């Protein structure tokens, strides 16, 4: 159980980073050739309303990952880990989606969130490699 508890550390770090109001970025025009950069939490609906949908979806998926890992602590089913790995892969792709708008829509906190999701995916891949999941 202690080993499985370690699987929760990176998703909890990811959740804390997503709660911070510096992850999602919206750029607004403030006049001719003036851009006003505003950052939001991944859970804020404002970027979602301005078509930056990926941060909110990433945050929702990361909450689902945490819930599934908590269930995995008590119910030792390997199928849960395979679902978690799939969700992490989807979250990783979604966390990179703001780059489709350009580098101006990506923040340092966004990079850290992407790296922590990737690290959790790699951790689960190598930790469950012998389980044939």
């Amino acid at each position: 159980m202690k080993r499985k508890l370690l699987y929760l550390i990176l998703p909890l770090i990811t959740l804390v980073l997503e709660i911070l109001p510096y992850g999602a970025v919206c750029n607004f025009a403030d006049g001719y050739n003036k851009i006003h950069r505003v950052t939001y939490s991944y859970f804020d609906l404002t970027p979602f309303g301005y078509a930056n949908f990926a941060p909110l979806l990433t945050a929702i998926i990361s909450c689902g990952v945490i819930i599934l890992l908590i269930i995995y602590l008590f119910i030792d089913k390997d199928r849960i880990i395979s679902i978690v790995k799939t969700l992490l892969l989807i979250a990783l792709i979604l966390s990179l989606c703001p780059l489709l708008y350009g580098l101006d829509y990506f923040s340092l906190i966004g990079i850290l969130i992407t790296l922590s999701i990737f690290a959790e995916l790699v951790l689960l891949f190598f930790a469950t490699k012998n389980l044939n999941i």
Side-chain angles (χ1 to χ4, degrees), residues 49-91:
Y50 283 102
N52 192 359
F53 61 90
L56 180 64
L57 296 177
T58 303
I60 291 170
I61 290 174
S62 66
C63 289
V65 165
I66 291 172
I67 290 170
L68 285 173
L69 286 174
I70 290 171
I71 292 171
Y72 181 68
L73 287 175
F74 301 106
I75 302 171
D76 195 15
K77 297 274 187 182
D78 296 334
R79 179 81 176 129
I80 295 174
I81 290 296
S82 67
I83 293 170
V84 167
K85 287 194 283 188
T86 304
L87 285 176
L88 283 171
L89 184 62
I90 293 168

Side-chain angles (χ1 to χ4, degrees), residues 88-115:
L88 283 171
L89 184 62
I90 293 168
L92 180 66
I93 293 168
L94 283 172
S95 69
L96 292 171
C97 279
L99 287 175
L100 295 173
Y101 296 120
L103 284 175
D104 293 338
Y105 285 86
F106 213 56
S107 66
L108 177 63
I109 298 296
I111 293 169
L112 293 175
I113 290 169
T114 302
L115 289 176

